[in-house]
Amino acid sequence: MSFRLLNTMRVSRVFLRTLSSKAATSQTTASRATTLSTKSSNIPEGYQLMFDGVAPRWSRWTFLFVGLIVLSSGNLAEGILHLRQKPTIKGEENLPEADWELRPLWQRAAGASLFLGMGVAASLIAFTARNRNAVRVLIRHSKTKGQPSLIMVEGGGSREGRGYVFELADCKVGPGRIESEITIHSKTSRMPWWPFIFDFSRGDVPAAGAEASAWDKRQAFMQTWENKEYRQLTRRVQPLVNQY
């Protein structure tokens, strides 16, 4: 009797776990669909959403990192401005350090400017790296030959609908550091050597669905980038043309 009771309890536990997992999966899918539907309302007119993701975790601490850089570079610059040296006059070599004379102004100004410049450069690099990690990618295929196709890339610091806009002909897609990453190079960007990068594991591609793998998202992204309907048509017609 006790053995049957234990089996019944085990079966009930498995059944409850299955129900809870299905409920969690459906809730996650619904939340993703709700997020995509709310964000789709912020899409500019004529654009199609290709990638919708989130910024990397480290980008959330960009302002804190920049604040630490500014604070440290400012303290170092202040210390350089008050830097002293031993007196060069005879008889004053044994004076305490508080009574030493200040170093020449050009030395102190050069040292302080160096530290301040390093702080500004590090801050600019941090903000640029934050913006180069794409959060959303949108595309607008031209319907006429005279109108170029456009692509909009929104970084971590961009507002929705106000990203970097480039012509599709000036952009090139390249591989990332891992298989799930893709980079976008633009000739007309301010820094063409620094590409935009995004990871399919941190976002969704509406053309592939929320539950698709990173590889399927990448394939769907490339199909949308290359205008899927047109390329499928040419691949079907070209073998027939070659036969005749």
Side-chain angles (χ1 to χ4, degrees):
M1 190 70 180
S2 60
F3 182 74
R4 291 181 180 179
L5 182 60
L6 289 175
N7 287 336
T8 305
M9 293 176 64
R10 289 176 182 175
V11 172
S12 61
R13 287 179 181 177
V14 172
F15 181 70
L16 290 175
R17 288 178 182 175
T18 305
L19 288 179
S20 61
S21 62
K22 288 183 178 180
T25 304
S26 61
Q27 185 177 2
T28 303
T29 306
S31 62
R32 287 184 177 180
T34 304
T35 303
L36 288 176
S37 63
T38 54
K39 287 191 175 183
S40 62
S41 60
N42 298 323
I43 297 176
E45 185 178 359
Y47 282 88
Q48 179 184 357
L49 183 62
M50 298 177 63
F51 174 77
D52 188 6
V54 295
R57 294 182 179 178
W58 64 265
S59 63
R60 303 174 185 175
W61 307 97
T62 304
F63 288 96
L64 178 61
F65 178 67
V66 171
L68 293 176
I69 291 176
V70 172
L71 183 62
S72 58
S73 60
N75 290 334
L76 290 173
E78 184 181 2
I80 292 294
L81 289 175
H82 294 86
L83 194 61
R84 297 176 180 272
Q85 64 181 2
K86 287 185 177 181
T88 56
I89 302 175
K90 293 183 179 180
E92 296 183 0
E93 294 86 354
N94 298 325
L95 291 176
E97 186 175 355
D99 295 334
W100 288 1
E101 61 183 7
L102 293 173
R103 284 183 175 273
L105 180 61
W106 67 270
Q107 293 182 3
R108 292 180 285 132
S113 301
L114 177 63
F115 283 108
L116 289 177
M118 291 174 60
V120 171
S123 302
L124 291 176
I125 290 174
F127 281 120
T128 306
R130 179 170 173 260
N131 291 328
R132 290 290 168 168
N133 282 270
V135 177
R136 291 205 314 174
V137 181
L138 303 95
I139 193 169
R140 189 181 72 179
H141 288 292
S142 62
K143 298 181 180 180
T144 59
K145 294 183 179 180
Q147 185 180 5
S149 299
L150 300 178
I151 181 171
M152 179 185 293
V153 182
E154 297 179 5
S158 303
R159 295 182 180 180
E160 293 184 355
R162 296 185 180 181
Y164 302 91
V165 180
F166 309 103
E167 291 188 8
L168 188 61
D170 296 334
C171 297
K172 182 180 179 181
V173 178
R177 295 166 295 183
I178 56 179
E179 187 178 2
S180 61
E181 286 184 351
I182 276 185
T183 57
I184 298 178
H185 299 259
S186 177
K187 299 178 182 178
T188 57
S189 177
R190 294 181 180 178
M191 291 180 287
W193 62 87
W194 197 336
F196 294 92
I197 186 170
F198 54 95
D199 192 347
F200 291 112
S201 62
R202 291 188 284 102
D204 296 329
V205 177
E211 300 299 329
S213 61
W215 179 257
D216 294 336
K217 294 177 183 178
R218 182 174 181 175
Q219 294 296 322
F221 180 88
M222 292 307 302
Q223 288 176 357
T224 308
W225 178 282
E226 298 174 357
N227 202 351
K228 178 180 178 181
E229 294 80 12
Y230 174 77
R231 291 189 64 85
Q232 282 187 351
L233 180 62
T234 54
R235 289 175 182 174
R236 292 177 182 176
V237 174
Q238 191 64 32
L240 298 177
V241 174
N242 293 334
Q243 289 180 3
Y244 298 95

PDB file of all heavy atoms in Angstrom, residues 70-103:
ATOM      1  N   VAL A  70      37.189  60.010 -14.822  1.00  0.00           N
ATOM      2  CA  VAL A  70      37.276  61.462 -14.659  1.00  0.00           C
ATOM      3  C   VAL A  70      37.827  61.818 -13.285  1.00  0.00           C
ATOM      4  O   VAL A  70      38.665  62.724 -13.136  1.00  0.00           O
ATOM      5  CB  VAL A  70      35.889  62.090 -14.890  1.00  0.00           C
ATOM      6  CG1 VAL A  70      35.908  63.568 -14.536  1.00  0.00           C
ATOM      7  CG2 VAL A  70      35.448  61.898 -16.339  1.00  0.00           C
ATOM      8  N   LEU A  71      37.353  61.108 -12.249  1.00  0.00           N
ATOM      9  CA  LEU A  71      37.821  61.399 -10.892  1.00  0.00           C
ATOM     10  C   LEU A  71      39.304  61.109 -10.745  1.00  0.00           C
ATOM     11  O   LEU A  71      40.061  61.924 -10.180  1.00  0.00           O
ATOM     12  CB  LEU A  71      37.008  60.575  -9.893  1.00  0.00           C
ATOM     13  CG  LEU A  71      37.310  60.804  -8.405  1.00  0.00           C
ATOM     14  CD1 LEU A  71      37.010  62.247  -8.015  1.00  0.00           C
ATOM     15  CD2 LEU A  71      36.498  59.835  -7.543  1.00  0.00           C
ATOM     16  N   SER A  72      39.756  59.969 -11.244  1.00  0.00           N
ATOM     17  CA  SER A  72      41.170  59.611 -11.100  1.00  0.00           C
ATOM     18  C   SER A  72      42.067  60.522 -11.926  1.00  0.00           C
ATOM     19  O   SER A  72      43.124  60.973 -11.449  1.00  0.00           O
ATOM     20  CB  SER A  72      41.377  58.155 -11.519  1.00  0.00           C
ATOM     21  OG  SER A  72      40.956  57.958 -12.861  1.00  0.00           O
ATOM     22  N   SER A  73      41.662  60.823 -13.173  1.00  0.00           N
ATOM     23  CA  SER A  73      42.495  61.707 -13.997  1.00  0.00           C
ATOM     24  C   SER A  73      42.534  63.120 -13.421  1.00  0.00           C
ATOM     25  O   SER A  73      43.579  63.790 -13.464  1.00  0.00           O
ATOM     26  CB  SER A  73      41.963  61.732 -15.425  1.00  0.00           C
ATOM     27  OG  SER A  73      40.627  62.219 -15.463  1.00  0.00           O
ATOM     28  N   GLY A  74      41.424  63.595 -12.855  1.00  0.00           N
ATOM     29  CA  GLY A  74      41.422  64.915 -12.229  1.00  0.00           C
ATOM     30  C   GLY A  74      42.327  64.975 -11.008  1.00  0.00           C
ATOM     31  O   GLY A  74      43.053  65.966 -10.807  1.00  0.00           O
ATOM     32  N   ASN A  75      42.308  63.930 -10.180  1.00  0.00           N
ATOM     33  CA  ASN A  75      43.188  63.909  -9.012  1.00  0.00           C
ATOM     34  C   ASN A  75      44.654  63.853  -9.411  1.00  0.00           C
ATOM     35  O   ASN A  75      45.509  64.520  -8.791  1.00  0.00           O
ATOM     36  CB  ASN A  75      42.840  62.708  -8.130  1.00  0.00           C
ATOM     37  CG  ASN A  75      41.499  62.872  -7.442  1.00  0.00           C
ATOM     38  OD1 ASN A  75      41.044  63.988  -7.206  1.00  0.00           O
ATOM     39  ND2 ASN A  75      40.852  61.763  -7.115  1.00  0.00           N
ATOM     40  N   LEU A  76      44.970  63.066 -10.442  1.00  0.00           N
ATOM     41  CA  LEU A  76      46.356  63.004 -10.901  1.00  0.00           C
ATOM     42  C   LEU A  76      46.814  64.340 -11.471  1.00  0.00           C
ATOM     43  O   LEU A  76      47.946  64.778 -11.238  1.00  0.00           O
ATOM     44  CB  LEU A  76      46.495  61.896 -11.949  1.00  0.00           C
ATOM     45  CG  LEU A  76      46.369  60.459 -11.425  1.00  0.00           C
ATOM     46  CD1 LEU A  76      46.345  59.472 -12.583  1.00  0.00           C
ATOM     47  CD2 LEU A  76      47.522  60.131 -10.476  1.00  0.00           C
ATOM     48  N   ALA A  77      45.916  64.998 -12.233  1.00  0.00           N
ATOM     49  CA  ALA A  77      46.276  66.302 -12.791  1.00  0.00           C
ATOM     50  C   ALA A  77      46.497  67.335 -11.688  1.00  0.00           C
ATOM     51  O   ALA A  77      47.415  68.160 -11.764  1.00  0.00           O
ATOM     52  CB  ALA A  77      45.190  66.765 -13.751  1.00  0.00           C
ATOM     53  N   GLU A  78      45.665  67.292 -10.659  1.00  0.00           N
ATOM     54  CA  GLU A  78      45.837  68.227  -9.540  1.00  0.00           C
ATOM     55  C   GLU A  78      47.147  67.973  -8.811  1.00  0.00           C
ATOM     56  O   GLU A  78      47.845  68.909  -8.397  1.00  0.00           O
ATOM     57  CB  GLU A  78      44.662  68.099  -8.583  1.00  0.00           C
ATOM     58  CG  GLU A  78      44.699  69.108  -7.440  1.00  0.00           C
ATOM     59  CD  GLU A  78      43.533  68.937  -6.491  1.00  0.00           C
ATOM     60  OE1 GLU A  78      42.719  68.003  -6.703  1.00  0.00           O
ATOM     61  OE2 GLU A  78      43.422  69.728  -5.536  1.00  0.00           O
ATOM     62  N   GLY A  79      47.493  66.691  -8.653  1.00  0.00           N
ATOM     63  CA  GLY A  79      48.771  66.389  -8.012  1.00  0.00           C
ATOM     64  C   GLY A  79      49.958  66.859  -8.828  1.00  0.00           C
ATOM     65  O   GLY A  79      50.964  67.336  -8.275  1.00  0.00           O
ATOM     66  N   ILE A  80      49.857  66.781 -10.145  1.00  0.00           N
ATOM     67  CA  ILE A  80      50.947  67.258 -11.007  1.00  0.00           C
ATOM     68  C   ILE A  80      51.088  68.776 -10.910  1.00  0.00           C
ATOM     69  O   ILE A  80      52.192  69.328 -10.913  1.00  0.00           O
ATOM     70  CB  ILE A  80      50.705  66.817 -12.459  1.00  0.00           C
ATOM     71  CG1 ILE A  80      50.839  65.295 -12.582  1.00  0.00           C
ATOM     72  CG2 ILE A  80      51.671  67.500 -13.406  1.00  0.00           C
ATOM     73  CD1 ILE A  80      52.225  64.765 -12.330  1.00  0.00           C
ATOM     74  N   LEU A  81      49.965  69.474 -10.815  1.00  0.00           N
ATOM     75  CA  LEU A  81      50.019  70.940 -10.739  1.00  0.00           C
ATOM     76  C   LEU A  81      50.701  71.425  -9.456  1.00  0.00           C
ATOM     77  O   LEU A  81      51.260  72.530  -9.436  1.00  0.00           O
ATOM     78  CB  LEU A  81      48.607  71.525 -10.831  1.00  0.00           C
ATOM     79  CG  LEU A  81      47.928  71.424 -12.200  1.00  0.00           C
ATOM     80  CD1 LEU A  81      46.500  71.931 -12.116  1.00  0.00           C
ATOM     81  CD2 LEU A  81      48.711  72.216 -13.256  1.00  0.00           C
ATOM     82  N   HIS A  82      50.640  70.636  -8.400  1.00  0.00           N
ATOM     83  CA  HIS A  82      51.266  71.015  -7.130  1.00  0.00           C
ATOM     84  C   HIS A  82      52.592  70.285  -6.900  1.00  0.00           C
ATOM     85  O   HIS A  82      53.082  70.212  -5.761  1.00  0.00           O
ATOM     86  CB  HIS A  82      50.318  70.717  -5.958  1.00  0.00           C
ATOM     87  CG  HIS A  82      49.071  71.564  -5.978  1.00  0.00           C
ATOM     88  ND1 HIS A  82      47.958  71.218  -6.690  1.00  0.00           N
ATOM     89  CD2 HIS A  82      48.789  72.759  -5.371  1.00  0.00           C
ATOM     90  CE1 HIS A  82      47.023  72.144  -6.521  1.00  0.00           C
ATOM     91  NE2 HIS A  82      47.500  73.093  -5.737  1.00  0.00           N
ATOM     92  N   LEU A  83      53.170  69.777  -7.959  1.00  0.00           N
ATOM     93  CA  LEU A  83      54.430  69.036  -7.826  1.00  0.00           C
ATOM     94  C   LEU A  83      55.585  70.005  -7.552  1.00  0.00           C
ATOM     95  O   LEU A  83      55.713  71.038  -8.212  1.00  0.00           O
ATOM     96  CB  LEU A  83      54.703  68.245  -9.111  1.00  0.00           C
ATOM     97  CG  LEU A  83      55.787  67.173  -9.037  1.00  0.00           C
ATOM     98  CD1 LEU A  83      55.410  66.103  -8.005  1.00  0.00           C
ATOM     99  CD2 LEU A  83      55.983  66.534 -10.410  1.00  0.00           C
ATOM    100  N   ARG A  84      56.408  69.660  -6.573  1.00  0.00           N
ATOM    101  CA  ARG A  84      57.531  70.519  -6.165  1.00  0.00           C
ATOM    102  C   ARG A  84      58.855  69.815  -6.392  1.00  0.00           C
ATOM    103  O   ARG A  84      58.915  68.599  -6.596  1.00  0.00           O
ATOM    104  CB  ARG A  84      57.395  70.909  -4.687  1.00  0.00           C
ATOM    105  CG  ARG A  84      56.151  71.740  -4.389  1.00  0.00           C
ATOM    106  CD  ARG A  84      55.995  72.022  -2.910  1.00  0.00           C
ATOM    107  NE  ARG A  84      54.814  72.820  -2.627  1.00  0.00           N
ATOM    108  CZ  ARG A  84      54.790  74.146  -2.630  1.00  0.00           C
ATOM    109  NH1 ARG A  84      55.908  74.835  -2.856  1.00  0.00           N
ATOM    110  NH2 ARG A  84      53.675  74.809  -2.358  1.00  0.00           N
ATOM    111  N   GLN A  85      59.903  70.596  -6.362  1.00  0.00           N
ATOM    112  CA  GLN A  85      61.263  70.080  -6.524  1.00  0.00           C
ATOM    113  C   GLN A  85      62.197  70.738  -5.511  1.00  0.00           C
ATOM    114  O   GLN A  85      61.875  71.771  -4.936  1.00  0.00           O
ATOM    115  CB  GLN A  85      61.777  70.336  -7.938  1.00  0.00           C
ATOM    116  CG  GLN A  85      61.921  71.806  -8.283  1.00  0.00           C
ATOM    117  CD  GLN A  85      62.418  72.033  -9.694  1.00  0.00           C
ATOM    118  OE1 GLN A  85      62.631  71.091 -10.435  1.00  0.00           O
ATOM    119  NE2 GLN A  85      62.592  73.302 -10.069  1.00  0.00           N
ATOM    120  N   LYS A  86      63.351  70.106  -5.318  1.00  0.00           N
ATOM    121  CA  LYS A  86      64.315  70.665  -4.366  1.00  0.00           C
ATOM    122  C   LYS A  86      64.837  72.017  -4.844  1.00  0.00           C
ATOM    123  O   LYS A  86      65.013  72.231  -6.034  1.00  0.00           O
ATOM    124  CB  LYS A  86      65.490  69.694  -4.186  1.00  0.00           C
ATOM    125  CG  LYS A  86      65.138  68.460  -3.389  1.00  0.00           C
ATOM    126  CD  LYS A  86      66.380  67.617  -3.156  1.00  0.00           C
ATOM    127  CE  LYS A  86      66.039  66.400  -2.295  1.00  0.00           C
ATOM    128  NZ  LYS A  86      67.242  65.573  -2.022  1.00  0.00           N
ATOM    129  N   PRO A  87      65.072  72.927  -3.918  1.00  0.00           N
ATOM    130  CA  PRO A  87      65.606  74.246  -4.316  1.00  0.00           C
ATOM    131  C   PRO A  87      66.996  74.112  -4.915  1.00  0.00           C
ATOM    132  O   PRO A  87      67.804  73.274  -4.508  1.00  0.00           O
ATOM    133  CB  PRO A  87      65.638  75.036  -3.012  1.00  0.00           C
ATOM    134  CG  PRO A  87      64.707  74.314  -2.097  1.00  0.00           C
ATOM    135  CD  PRO A  87      64.776  72.869  -2.490  1.00  0.00           C
ATOM    136  N   THR A  88      67.244  74.919  -5.910  1.00  0.00           N
ATOM    137  CA  THR A  88      68.560  74.916  -6.565  1.00  0.00           C
ATOM    138  C   THR A  88      69.516  75.949  -5.959  1.00  0.00           C
ATOM    139  O   THR A  88      70.690  75.985  -6.309  1.00  0.00           O
ATOM    140  CB  THR A  88      68.387  75.221  -8.062  1.00  0.00           C
ATOM    141  OG1 THR A  88      67.690  76.461  -8.222  1.00  0.00           O
ATOM    142  CG2 THR A  88      67.593  74.106  -8.745  1.00  0.00           C
ATOM    143  N   ILE A  89      69.026  76.767  -5.034  1.00  0.00           N
ATOM    144  CA  ILE A  89      69.867  77.784  -4.395  1.00  0.00           C
ATOM    145  C   ILE A  89      70.688  77.127  -3.277  1.00  0.00           C
ATOM    146  O   ILE A  89      70.163  76.309  -2.511  1.00  0.00           O
ATOM    147  CB  ILE A  89      69.006  78.935  -3.845  1.00  0.00           C
ATOM    148  CG1 ILE A  89      68.177  79.567  -4.973  1.00  0.00           C
ATOM    149  CG2 ILE A  89      69.873  79.987  -3.173  1.00  0.00           C
ATOM    150  CD1 ILE A  89      67.212  80.625  -4.491  1.00  0.00           C
ATOM    151  N   LYS A  90      71.927  77.487  -3.193  1.00  0.00           N
ATOM    152  CA  LYS A  90      72.780  76.916  -2.161  1.00  0.00           C
ATOM    153  C   LYS A  90      72.319  77.368  -0.783  1.00  0.00           C
ATOM    154  O   LYS A  90      71.950  78.515  -0.583  1.00  0.00           O
ATOM    155  CB  LYS A  90      74.228  77.341  -2.375  1.00  0.00           C
ATOM    156  CG  LYS A  90      74.845  76.748  -3.635  1.00  0.00           C
ATOM    157  CD  LYS A  90      76.314  77.149  -3.739  1.00  0.00           C
ATOM    158  CE  LYS A  90      76.949  76.539  -4.981  1.00  0.00           C
ATOM    159  NZ  LYS A  90      78.394  76.915  -5.093  1.00  0.00           N
ATOM    160  N   GLY A  91      72.362  76.442   0.156  1.00  0.00           N
ATOM    161  CA  GLY A  91      71.953  76.732   1.514  1.00  0.00           C
ATOM    162  C   GLY A  91      70.497  76.413   1.792  1.00  0.00           C
ATOM    163  O   GLY A  91      70.081  76.482   2.954  1.00  0.00           O
ATOM    164  N   GLU A  92      69.719  76.112   0.760  1.00  0.00           N
ATOM    165  CA  GLU A  92      68.305  75.801   0.952  1.00  0.00           C
ATOM    166  C   GLU A  92      67.982  74.347   0.595  1.00  0.00           C
ATOM    167  O   GLU A  92      66.824  73.991   0.453  1.00  0.00           O
ATOM    168  CB  GLU A  92      67.436  76.731   0.091  1.00  0.00           C
ATOM    169  CG  GLU A  92      67.553  78.196   0.478  1.00  0.00           C
ATOM    170  CD  GLU A  92      66.639  79.079  -0.345  1.00  0.00           C
ATOM    171  OE1 GLU A  92      65.925  78.519  -1.217  1.00  0.00           O
ATOM    172  OE2 GLU A  92      66.608  80.304  -0.122  1.00  0.00           O
ATOM    173  N   GLU A  93      69.019  73.492   0.480  1.00  0.00           N
ATOM    174  CA  GLU A  93      68.765  72.104   0.114  1.00  0.00           C
ATOM    175  C   GLU A  93      68.101  71.325   1.234  1.00  0.00           C
ATOM    176  O   GLU A  93      67.410  70.332   0.991  1.00  0.00           O
ATOM    177  CB  GLU A  93      70.078  71.396  -0.275  1.00  0.00           C
ATOM    178  CG  GLU A  93      70.725  71.930  -1.531  1.00  0.00           C
ATOM    179  CD  GLU A  93      71.624  73.111  -1.250  1.00  0.00           C
ATOM    180  OE1 GLU A  93      71.639  73.576  -0.082  1.00  0.00           O
ATOM    181  OE2 GLU A  93      72.307  73.591  -2.178  1.00  0.00           O
ATOM    182  N   ASN A  94      68.291  71.731   2.478  1.00  0.00           N
ATOM    183  CA  ASN A  94      67.768  70.989   3.623  1.00  0.00           C
ATOM    184  C   ASN A  94      66.410  71.485   4.091  1.00  0.00           C
ATOM    185  O   ASN A  94      65.971  71.157   5.194  1.00  0.00           O
ATOM    186  CB  ASN A  94      68.763  71.051   4.780  1.00  0.00           C
ATOM    187  CG  ASN A  94      70.096  70.412   4.432  1.00  0.00           C
ATOM    188  OD1 ASN A  94      70.122  69.423   3.693  1.00  0.00           O
ATOM    189  ND2 ASN A  94      71.185  70.957   4.957  1.00  0.00           N
ATOM    190  N   LEU A  95      65.750  72.307   3.312  1.00  0.00           N
ATOM    191  CA  LEU A  95      64.423  72.783   3.684  1.00  0.00           C
ATOM    192  C   LEU A  95      63.414  71.643   3.655  1.00  0.00           C
ATOM    193  O   LEU A  95      63.566  70.668   2.904  1.00  0.00           O
ATOM    194  CB  LEU A  95      63.979  73.893   2.721  1.00  0.00           C
ATOM    195  CG  LEU A  95      64.726  75.226   2.807  1.00  0.00           C
ATOM    196  CD1 LEU A  95      64.237  76.170   1.716  1.00  0.00           C
ATOM    197  CD2 LEU A  95      64.538  75.848   4.188  1.00  0.00           C
ATOM    198  N   PRO A  96      62.359  71.709   4.479  1.00  0.00           N
ATOM    199  CA  PRO A  96      61.329  70.662   4.423  1.00  0.00           C
ATOM    200  C   PRO A  96      60.621  70.665   3.060  1.00  0.00           C
ATOM    201  O   PRO A  96      60.625  71.657   2.324  1.00  0.00           O
ATOM    202  CB  PRO A  96      60.374  71.053   5.556  1.00  0.00           C
ATOM    203  CG  PRO A  96      60.637  72.492   5.808  1.00  0.00           C
ATOM    204  CD  PRO A  96      62.076  72.734   5.495  1.00  0.00           C
ATOM    205  N   GLU A  97      60.000  69.559   2.746  1.00  0.00           N
ATOM    206  CA  GLU A  97      59.389  69.392   1.417  1.00  0.00           C
ATOM    207  C   GLU A  97      58.253  70.384   1.192  1.00  0.00           C
ATOM    208  O   GLU A  97      58.002  70.800   0.059  1.00  0.00           O
ATOM    209  CB  GLU A  97      58.858  67.962   1.267  1.00  0.00           C
ATOM    210  CG  GLU A  97      58.342  67.637  -0.129  1.00  0.00           C
ATOM    211  CD  GLU A  97      57.944  66.185  -0.250  1.00  0.00           C
ATOM    212  OE1 GLU A  97      58.162  65.415   0.717  1.00  0.00           O
ATOM    213  OE2 GLU A  97      57.400  65.825  -1.310  1.00  0.00           O
ATOM    214  N   ALA A  98      57.576  70.806   2.257  1.00  0.00           N
ATOM    215  CA  ALA A  98      56.481  71.773   2.098  1.00  0.00           C
ATOM    216  C   ALA A  98      56.981  73.129   1.633  1.00  0.00           C
ATOM    217  O   ALA A  98      56.220  73.911   1.049  1.00  0.00           O
ATOM    218  CB  ALA A  98      55.717  71.920   3.405  1.00  0.00           C
ATOM    219  N   ASP A  99      58.259  73.419   1.881  1.00  0.00           N
ATOM    220  CA  ASP A  99      58.823  74.705   1.490  1.00  0.00           C
ATOM    221  C   ASP A  99      59.586  74.649   0.174  1.00  0.00           C
ATOM    222  O   ASP A  99      60.224  75.627  -0.220  1.00  0.00           O
ATOM    223  CB  ASP A  99      59.760  75.225   2.593  1.00  0.00           C
ATOM    224  CG  ASP A  99      58.995  75.517   3.886  1.00  0.00           C
ATOM    225  OD1 ASP A  99      57.784  75.802   3.788  1.00  0.00           O
ATOM    226  OD2 ASP A  99      59.598  75.421   4.965  1.00  0.00           O
ATOM    227  N   TRP A 100      59.544  73.501  -0.503  1.00  0.00           N
ATOM    228  CA  TRP A 100      60.234  73.402  -1.787  1.00  0.00           C
ATOM    229  C   TRP A 100      59.524  74.277  -2.812  1.00  0.00           C
ATOM    230  O   TRP A 100      58.335  74.599  -2.711  1.00  0.00           O
ATOM    231  CB  TRP A 100      60.256  71.964  -2.278  1.00  0.00           C
ATOM    232  CG  TRP A 100      61.194  71.081  -1.507  1.00  0.00           C
ATOM    233  CD1 TRP A 100      61.978  71.441  -0.439  1.00  0.00           C
ATOM    234  CD2 TRP A 100      61.424  69.699  -1.738  1.00  0.00           C
ATOM    235  NE1 TRP A 100      62.688  70.374   0.016  1.00  0.00           N
ATOM    236  CE2 TRP A 100      62.379  69.278  -0.764  1.00  0.00           C
ATOM    237  CE3 TRP A 100      60.942  68.767  -2.646  1.00  0.00           C
ATOM    238  CZ2 TRP A 100      62.839  67.965  -0.704  1.00  0.00           C
ATOM    239  CZ3 TRP A 100      61.405  67.458  -2.594  1.00  0.00           C
ATOM    240  CH2 TRP A 100      62.354  67.061  -1.632  1.00  0.00           C
ATOM    241  N   GLU A 101      60.255  74.631  -3.850  1.00  0.00           N
ATOM    242  CA  GLU A 101      59.685  75.460  -4.903  1.00  0.00           C
ATOM    243  C   GLU A 101      58.938  74.593  -5.921  1.00  0.00           C
ATOM    244  O   GLU A 101      59.265  73.416  -6.112  1.00  0.00           O
ATOM    245  CB  GLU A 101      60.786  76.242  -5.605  1.00  0.00           C
ATOM    246  CG  GLU A 101      61.848  75.368  -6.278  1.00  0.00           C
ATOM    247  CD  GLU A 101      62.962  76.180  -6.898  1.00  0.00           C
ATOM    248  OE1 GLU A 101      62.982  77.396  -6.702  1.00  0.00           O
ATOM    249  OE2 GLU A 101      63.821  75.583  -7.572  1.00  0.00           O
ATOM    250  N   LEU A 102      57.934  75.183  -6.522  1.00  0.00           N
ATOM    251  CA  LEU A 102      57.173  74.470  -7.526  1.00  0.00           C
ATOM    252  C   LEU A 102      58.011  74.233  -8.774  1.00  0.00           C
ATOM    253  O   LEU A 102      58.903  75.016  -9.100  1.00  0.00           O
ATOM    254  CB  LEU A 102      55.911  75.256  -7.902  1.00  0.00           C
ATOM    255  CG  LEU A 102      54.842  75.397  -6.825  1.00  0.00           C
ATOM    256  CD1 LEU A 102      53.747  76.350  -7.294  1.00  0.00           C
ATOM    257  CD2 LEU A 102      54.241  74.048  -6.466  1.00  0.00           C
ATOM    258  N   ARG A 103      57.687  73.129  -9.450  1.00  0.00           N
ATOM    259  CA  ARG A 103      58.372  72.860 -10.707  1.00  0.00           C
ATOM    260  C   ARG A 103      57.977  73.901 -11.752  1.00  0.00           C
ATOM    261  O   ARG A 103      56.984  74.619 -11.575  1.00  0.00           O
ATOM    262  CB  ARG A 103      58.017  71.464 -11.209  1.00  0.00           C
ATOM    263  CG  ARG A 103      58.723  70.343 -10.456  1.00  0.00           C
ATOM    264  CD  ARG A 103      58.383  68.993 -11.064  1.00  0.00           C
ATOM    265  NE  ARG A 103      59.150  67.929 -10.436  1.00  0.00           N
ATOM    266  CZ  ARG A 103      60.369  67.541 -10.816  1.00  0.00           C
ATOM    267  NH1 ARG A 103      60.957  68.137 -11.861  1.00  0.00           N
ATOM    268  NH2 ARG A 103      60.989  66.568 -10.204  1.00  0.00           N
TER     269      ARG A 103
END
